[in-house]
Amino acid sequence: MSLTIHGIGVSGGIAIGHAHLVSHTKLEVAHYDIPAEQVADESARFDAAVKTVRDELEQLRGTVPAGAPAEFGAFIDLHLMILADSTLSVVPRTIIRSEFCNAEWALKIQTDELLQQFDTIEDSYLRERRTDVIQVAQRVMKALSGQPGYAPPPAGDSERNLVLVAHDLSPADVVLFKQHQFASFVTDLGGVTSHTAIVARSLNIPCIVALHHARQLVRENEIIIVDGTQGVIIVDPDAQVLAEYQLLQREFGLERQKLRRLRDTPARTLDGIDVELHANIELPGDVALALDGGATGIGLFRTEFLFLNRPDLPDEDEQFEAYRQVLEEMDGRPVTIRTYDLGADKQIDDSARLATNPALGLRAIRLCLTEPKRFITQLRAMLRASLHGKLKILIPMLMNASEVDQALQLLEQAKRSLDDDGITYDRNVPVGGMVEIPAAALALGLLTKRLDFLSVGTNDLIQYMLAIDRTDDTVAHLYDPLHPAVLMVLGHIFRTAGKVGIPVSVCGEMAGDVALTRLLLGLGLRRFSMHSAHLPDVKQRVLKTHLAETAPFARRMLRATDPGRLHLMLDKLNA
Ligand code: PEP
Ligand code: MG
């Protein structure tokens, strides 16, 4: 029977394919007793789960993407080793036999025991393997619950027909999908600016989040239509609906092809104002798409993705290579590399996820300042890469003057250490700050006095202004870039930056929302950075904008407080 489920579209277009269910990331462990005669079956079930995970990991190892960090393969080998160790693959069977309990419970008892032992280990390297044990145990647990962990389907054409249906996935999970060519990707949880959605958007396929119960309602292999523009999925559609969407899909494809012709056209308004359209990337491998979309620079390289999906941290040389690659491939165009914004929904240590309010916690620059050695390693790698292109360094989540001063001091320290080592670099690399915390946006002088440029992270700015967790699907509908307070603050930032003559860009998702292009231009923005997929649409809008006519109307929108009126005004602006 046909079924329609509504969510929030994060990436437009239409996909039609077969559902491929991806398992939950969090698991509840049931405990129940089993009769003696069931012990053998329960042990066999455990063995089968271990085998499933071994097969998954081996398959994953065979499909490591070309652009993946070098350690990714080693990380899979490590997980295979942990899985093969008798403490995980044999002892739970003994527990099933001695305790007459279900396999999940036996695995939980044994994992808890192992983790306790890890806590007493002095060697820091070995202690850090704790997270790997948790991850391997979770995979076995997922397999046991009849929901095997994500096993990539065979590469090739068949992937193009798959719609991944997930309950929840971390940004780190999604970044691994970049090696595949799925038709679409939908999740139950997540907000429109969650990092999972952001990475999903960079896959350049229709995506929907906040579907709430899709993972429960959809069955493996069912036909699904994903309308990413409307934020709706149609499960098991009838023939007429299917035919209508196939037609829409073709039309959408033709429209995209036409837009591609704008790639090399400069983004200039009808009245001759030049606008910079840059791309946001997560990994060096994304540069090709950025250039293909006509990006004239990289406005945001989210370097924290180099730190995810691996058991260890990338060292200075590995980071240097990644930054050098991006700078060289951008061939003299500006490249803004952001210091790592780990924490919140991008954790390298799973236990840190337990923070009560991770988005308000130890993330981004706050985390960097607590780990100066790790931060300096990254700064040294960036500075070394500075000779290979036009580098700018961007610091996320700044809130007060002391953070800016400390960050700049650490940069000086990194420069001195390079001097001591006789390594050359560009001494005048511009350093900018992200405006993401309302306090910094309002007291902008804190940043303008100390930094060379600003980049507004509207995803976090809106999260903190409207008090809505970006990752929480239950409040995703409250995300509102047109909230009068958001517009007022943006107007304030652009005006203030203009007055003191400091360049300002927007690199949050607002910059890639074509419905907001004219509004942002009218409020004074000239530098946009967005996922590559949005570049053609936004450029087309810029080309059709007469700024002298648009600006007074956009400024009038700053005075409107009625949401209905604001939406009407926006429609008029875009007409
Ligand atoms: C933002 O907050 O708008 C931003 C660009 O940074 P991120 O989405 O990575 O938090
Ligand atoms: Mg941010």
Side-chain angles (χ1 to χ4, degrees):
M1 196 186 63
S2 182
L3 174 73
T4 301
I5 311 174
H6 291 265
I8 301 177
V10 296
S11 182
I14 288 161
I16 301 171
H18 289 101
H20 177 55
L21 305 184
V22 181
S23 73
H24 300 211
T25 49
K26 295 190 187 78
L27 296 159
E28 287 171 13
V29 180
H31 177 199
Y32 49 90
D33 295 335
I34 54 166
E37 61 272 21
Q38 216 180 309
V39 164
D41 282 355
E42 198 60 12
S43 300
R45 195 165 77 84
F46 176 75
D47 289 346
V50 171
K51 181 179 180 312
T52 302
V53 174
R54 191 168 48 242
D55 291 349
E56 275 173 21
L57 288 171
E58 276 168 0
Q59 208 179 341
L60 202 58
R61 187 174 50 184
T63 55
V64 175
E71 270 72 14
F72 186 59
F75 154 74
I76 297 172
D77 286 339
L78 176 71
H79 280 204
L80 277 164
M81 253 169 59
I82 292 172
L83 183 69
D85 195 281
S86 63
T87 50
L88 257 194
S89 58
V90 177
V91 175
R93 269 199 279 146
T94 327
I95 298 175
I96 295 173
R97 221 175 310 124
S98 60
E99 304 288 319
F100 296 104
C101 65
N102 57 316
E104 288 88 347
W105 195 248
L107 177 60
K108 180 186 168 357
I109 293 176
Q110 177 59 7
T111 310
D112 288 350
E113 169 67 31
L114 281 174
L115 295 182
Q116 263 184 19
Q117 291 172 15
F118 266 96
D119 287 341
T120 60
I121 293 176
E122 297 222 329
D123 182 306
S124 65
Y125 174 81
L126 282 178
R127 219 177 32 239
E128 279 166 22
R129 302 287 70 80
R130 191 181 190 280
T131 312
D132 298 289
V133 171
I134 296 174
Q135 286 170 349
V136 174
Q138 280 191 341
R139 271 188 180 271
V140 179
M141 203 69 93
K142 282 182 200 174
L144 277 172
S145 67
Q147 298 166 339
Y150 171 69
D157 274 353
S158 60
E159 276 183 3
R160 294 174 199 274
N161 300 323
L162 290 182
V163 173
L164 299 192
V165 183
H167 180 63
D168 184 21
L169 287 170
S170 71
D173 292 331
V174 181
V175 87
L176 286 178
F177 292 168
K178 283 190 189 229
Q179 62 187 292
H180 298 283
Q181 295 189 312
F182 301 118
S184 175
F185 172 73
V186 300
T187 64
D188 287 345
L189 304 189
V192 70
T193 62
S194 64
H195 285 101
T196 298
I198 289 171
V199 183
R201 206 169 277 133
S202 76
L203 299 175
N204 212 4
I205 51 177
C207 296
I208 300 179
V209 297
L211 285 160
H212 305 303
H213 303 295
R215 178 66 179 70
Q216 270 173 355
L217 297 172
V218 176
R219 285 191 297 263
E220 180 77 16
N221 217 23
E222 262 180 329
I223 296 253
I224 298 197
I225 296 172
V226 180
D227 183 340
T229 314
Q230 300 299 327
V232 72
I233 65 171
I234 303 164
V235 186
D236 193 18
D238 63 36
Q240 191 186 340
V241 171
L242 193 60
E244 278 168 19
Y245 272 98
Q246 280 164 339
L247 185 67
L248 281 175
Q249 193 181 28
R250 274 196 295 279
E251 284 171 2
F252 189 85
L254 287 174
E255 188 56 30
R256 297 238 67 82
Q257 269 176 19
K258 262 196 256 165
L259 281 181
R260 274 176 61 90
R261 293 189 209 135
L262 295 178
R263 194 183 78 163
D264 299 321
T265 310
R268 186 170 296 141
T269 64
L270 289 171
D271 45 348
I273 306 293
D274 284 320
V275 178
E276 273 175 35
L277 300 185
H278 289 184
N280 294 351
I281 62 168
E282 277 88 40
L283 290 171
D286 297 337
V287 170
L289 262 186
L291 290 171
D292 199 44
T296 51
I298 299 298
L300 173 66
F301 178 0
R302 289 182 164 99
T303 58
E304 57 275 12
F305 282 90
L306 297 172
F307 293 67
L308 302 178
N309 290 319
R310 52 187 298 155
D312 55 356
L313 299 174
D315 64 15
E316 184 183 313
D317 283 346
E318 188 186 330
Q319 290 190 55
F320 162 73
E321 281 304 326
Y323 308 146
R324 184 187 60 80
Q325 185 185 336
V326 174
L327 283 156
E328 283 184 355
E329 286 180 20
M330 287 309 289
D331 199 17
R333 300 174 185 90
V335 174
T336 304
I337 305 187
R338 175 171 80 179
T339 57
Y340 58 82
D341 180 359
L342 289 165
D345 57 348
K346 290 172 292 192
Q347 300 282 353
I348 36 177
D349 175 3
D350 262 4
S351 56
R353 278 186 217 280
L354 301 176
T356 323
N357 260 321
L360 301 181
L362 198 60
R363 62 172 283 205
I365 189 62
R366 300 168 178 188
L367 185 66
C368 295
L369 294 179
T370 64
E371 303 263 3
K373 206 163 149 245
R374 186 162 76 189
F375 189 44
I376 286 179
T377 300
Q378 180 173 45
L379 294 172
R380 276 178 57 106
M382 286 185 183
L383 288 167
R384 280 172 58 194
S386 64
L387 293 182
H388 296 266
K390 199 167 168 192
L391 170 70
K392 295 171 170 189
I393 295 177
L394 179 63
I395 305 169
M397 291 279 296
L398 291 167
M399 185 268 291
N400 63 25
S402 148
E403 283 171 347
V404 186
D405 293 340
Q406 285 180 67
L408 292 176
Q409 275 162 18
L410 290 170
L411 182 66
E412 281 312 309
Q413 216 173 307
K415 285 182 177 174
R416 275 198 306 274
S417 72
L418 287 175
D419 290 340
D420 291 345
D421 294 345
I423 297 173
T424 50
Y425 56 90
D426 175 1
R427 300 195 157 267
N428 300 314
V429 172
V431 183
M434 289 196 70
V435 187
E436 303 184 273
I437 298 181
L442 292 174
L444 205 64
L446 291 177
L447 306 184
T448 57
K449 288 201 183 84
R450 295 171 168 80
L451 295 164
D452 302 313
F453 68 97
L454 301 177
S455 187
V456 187
T458 50
N459 306 333
D460 278 314
L461 187 61
I462 293 175
Q463 153 165 266
Y464 299 128
M465 285 191 70
L466 305 188
I468 45 161
D469 183 338
R470 290 165 68 173
T471 63
D472 186 345
D473 61 305
T474 60
V475 289
H477 61 288
L478 296 175
Y479 169 78
D480 182 12
L482 274 191
H483 190 291
V486 173
L487 298 186
M488 280 178 211
V489 165
L490 288 177
H492 163 75
I493 296 170
F494 302 155
R495 263 194 321 277
T496 312
K499 262 190 222 150
V500 298
I502 188 168
V504 60
S505 67
V506 169
C507 62
E509 297 304 291
M510 269 185 94
D513 184 346
V514 70
L516 302 175
T517 306
R518 277 193 185 148
L519 175 60
L520 292 171
L521 281 170
L523 295 182
L525 185 69
R526 300 290 178 268
R527 295 178 171 84
F528 295 65
S529 192
M530 66 200 79
H531 265 302
S532 307
H534 299 300
L535 287 164
D537 282 318
V538 171
K539 187 185 279 185
Q540 191 184 41
R541 189 57 59 91
V542 171
L543 295 173
K544 289 184 176 172
T545 297
H546 192 285
L547 200 54
E549 285 169 12
T550 302
F553 192 82
R555 284 198 294 270
R556 234 186 298 149
M557 285 179 71
L558 288 182
R559 294 196 292 275
T561 49
D562 176 62
R565 187 167 141 67
L566 265 169
H567 279 97
L568 281 178
M569 289 177 86
L570 187 70
D571 289 346
K572 200 164 159 202
L573 191 69
N574 289 329

